[in-house]
Amino acid sequence: MASHRKSRTPGTRVAGIRTPALATAALTSVALLSQTADAAPGDDRPSLEEVEKKVGDLYRQAESATEKYNAAKEKTTKQRKRVDTLLDDVAQRTQKLNEARAELGSYAAAQYRTGAGMPDTATFLLAETPQDVFDQRQVLDRMTGRQKAAVDDYVTQQTETMKKRQEATESLRTLTETQGDLKTAKATVQKKLADARELLSKLTAEEKARLAAIEKRKQEEAARKAAELARQQAAQEQAREEAAQQSGGTSESSGSGSTGSADTPPADSSYAAKAEKAIAFARAQIGKPYVWGATGPGSYDCSGLTQAAWKAAGVSLPRTTYDQVNAGTTVPVSQAQPGDLVFFYDDVTHVGIYIGNGMMIHAPKPGTYVREESIYYDGDSAIHSIVRPA
């Protein structure tokens, strides 16, 4: 299972990482913008604000369970391959053990035929463990060189076969555990999505229309903040170029509309070239459905999309958001450049690929499609961190 980051104090900002409070600004704005009347006395039906918040929470919980599912699936796949390899090895070693046993048996049969009494080699065939063999050293002293060699081979094959059988048994036990984790995560995702669908199904046509209006206002606010970030980045880039001209130097612009600092230099042309390929791939996926646990080519979940996009650029990313967030250098939001990964929420359960001007391409949630959207789609406090993966 992928491990979560430790919780931070809400509102803390460290090296470009902004940890959101439990209630995001987006949800606060929803409460302010909604014109829903108070529920009538005796009506225990939840308000539109409560439904919107609950559905959002369920989708995020589903995404969290999806990342756990992805981690368990990856672990299960690797463990199954290991088990198959070990079982093949056990089969091969068992064959060699049988061949060694047959050779040892031929010496025992020969001793019987010559009337030599209790054959020395037969003693080893009766031994159940390699230790039983080693405990009979006096017998080894009476054997010929060829007999000793046969015993040595038999003991070696017996020891290795037992070792591999034990490893296979332990691996099978681990595989059973990971399959259990996979089943649990899958059931959790399905339950959260079913609960969200049930809540939405109870809304009236009017409530659904008002909910859509709230979502539209959120998107407009997110677009405004994206434009503000784009202006800020452009101003920083211009200031850096002017400073370089005044000092007689040259300014290497990455063409991203963002600037570097003493702590975080701008990405070089090599990164920009890779990022361009990753973004081109991501853009070609726009319109494909979000499907939890999917890695393409017909559908994706959030981390499946970013992994596939950077793979197209020749960069291998881990499967889950929990691991992807550690697969690069963290930079401030103001210095985000195209290709960077944008992570969301305190438990790091969502990710998109930055394309510049405050925008990203991501696979949002079940029932939606891969799309281009502001990185502030759920409020600026929802942004966890920006990571440059290559």
Side-chain angles (χ1 to χ4, degrees):
M1 297 291 294
S3 63
H4 290 200
R5 290 189 168 202
K6 293 178 65 178
S7 299
R8 300 185 182 88
T9 303
T12 301
R13 302 191 180 197
V14 181
I17 298 178
R18 290 187 278 178
T19 305
L22 294 178
T24 66
L27 293 178
T28 301
S29 65
V30 167
L32 293 174
L33 291 169
S34 174
Q35 300 300 318
T36 304
D38 294 335
D43 185 3
D44 59 356
R45 194 162 177 265
S47 67
L48 189 58
E49 297 95 332
E50 292 172 333
V51 171
E52 199 275 344
K53 184 181 184 304
K54 182 62 175 178
V55 169
D57 289 343
L58 286 169
Y59 277 138
R60 282 193 286 278
Q61 291 167 17
E63 272 203 306
S64 178
T66 293
E67 292 304 314
K68 292 178 181 178
Y69 170 86
N70 292 338
K73 183 178 181 181
E74 186 175 44
K75 186 175 180 181
T76 298
T77 299
K78 290 180 179 179
Q79 192 62 29
R80 184 176 289 112
K81 289 180 179 178
R82 174 170 170 74
V83 168
D84 290 343
T85 298
L86 284 170
L87 290 177
D88 287 343
D89 197 0
V90 167
Q92 294 174 8
R93 291 188 180 280
T94 300
Q95 177 61 32
K96 292 180 179 180
L97 177 62
N98 291 335
E99 292 172 356
R101 181 182 287 112
E103 183 178 3
L104 207 57
S106 67
Y107 286 113
Q111 287 178 315
Y112 272 118
R113 288 195 300 272
T114 58
M118 179 62 182
D120 296 334
T121 47
T123 302
F124 293 99
L125 288 174
L126 295 175
E128 295 183 356
T129 68
Q131 188 59 47
D132 293 339
V133 175
F134 290 121
D135 289 342
Q136 302 179 59
R137 298 184 183 280
Q138 71 278 10
V139 178
L140 282 170
D141 293 337
R142 300 198 301 270
M143 287 186 171
T144 66
R146 292 183 64 182
Q147 286 176 312
K148 289 180 179 179
V151 169
D152 287 343
D153 184 40
Y154 178 73
V155 171
T156 298
Q157 297 302 332
Q158 187 182 44
T159 301
E160 290 300 317
T161 300
M162 292 179 66
K163 178 181 177 181
K164 290 300 178 181
R165 283 175 178 168
Q166 181 61 31
E167 288 182 16
T169 299
E170 293 174 356
S171 291
L172 282 168
R173 186 180 302 113
T174 301
L175 178 59
T176 300
E177 292 174 356
T178 59
Q179 287 174 328
D181 293 338
L182 187 65
K183 184 177 180 180
T184 298
K186 181 177 181 179
T188 300
V189 175
Q190 293 173 330
K191 177 66 167 58
K192 299 299 180 184
L193 295 181
D195 289 346
R197 286 193 296 268
E198 182 180 2
L199 278 172
L200 291 173
S201 70
K202 293 179 179 178
L203 295 179
T204 65
E206 180 183 354
E207 287 173 329
K208 289 179 181 179
R210 295 203 336 250
L211 198 60
I214 291 173
E215 181 62 27
K216 182 179 179 181
R217 292 185 184 124
K218 285 174 61 179
Q219 292 176 357
E220 290 172 350
E221 176 63 13
R224 185 191 66 77
K225 290 182 178 180
E228 181 181 333
L229 175 61
R231 287 193 295 270
Q232 177 189 358
Q233 291 178 332
Q236 289 176 337
E237 181 69 13
Q238 183 178 357
R240 189 168 73 91
E241 290 177 350
E242 290 175 352
Q245 290 173 358
Q246 291 175 1
S247 63
T250 58
S251 173
E252 287 188 12
S253 173
S254 66
S256 64
S258 61
T259 182
S261 69
D263 296 326
T264 310
D268 57 24
S269 58
S270 172
Y271 177 80
K274 293 176 182 177
E276 185 177 355
K277 292 180 181 178
I279 292 172
F281 179 92
R283 184 164 280 118
Q285 312 314 307
I286 290 177
K288 293 184 178 180
Y290 174 103
V291 174
W292 64 272
T295 57
S299 57
Y300 297 88
D301 63 17
C302 65
S303 56
L305 176 64
T306 51
Q307 183 189 49
W310 270 104
K311 182 179 180 181
V315 177
S316 178
L317 289 182
R319 175 64 182 94
T320 68
T321 54
Y322 311 129
D323 293 326
Q324 288 183 10
V325 75
N326 296 313
T329 303
T330 301
V331 300
V333 174
S334 62
Q335 295 172 25
Q337 296 188 4
D340 292 350
L341 301 178
V342 190
F343 293 92
F344 296 86
Y345 310 119
D346 193 35
D347 53 358
V348 199
T349 53
H350 188 66
V351 62
I353 183 168
Y354 190 67
I355 60 175
N357 296 322
M359 304 296 287
M360 67 177 175
I361 295 173
H362 70 147
K365 60 185 179 182
T368 63
Y369 299 84
V370 176
R371 66 192 182 201
E372 183 178 317
E373 193 165 27
S374 167
I375 64 173
Y376 299 108
Y377 81 107
D378 204 12
D380 55 356
S381 62
I383 298 175
H384 176 274
S385 58
I386 309 289
V387 173
R388 190 157 297 155

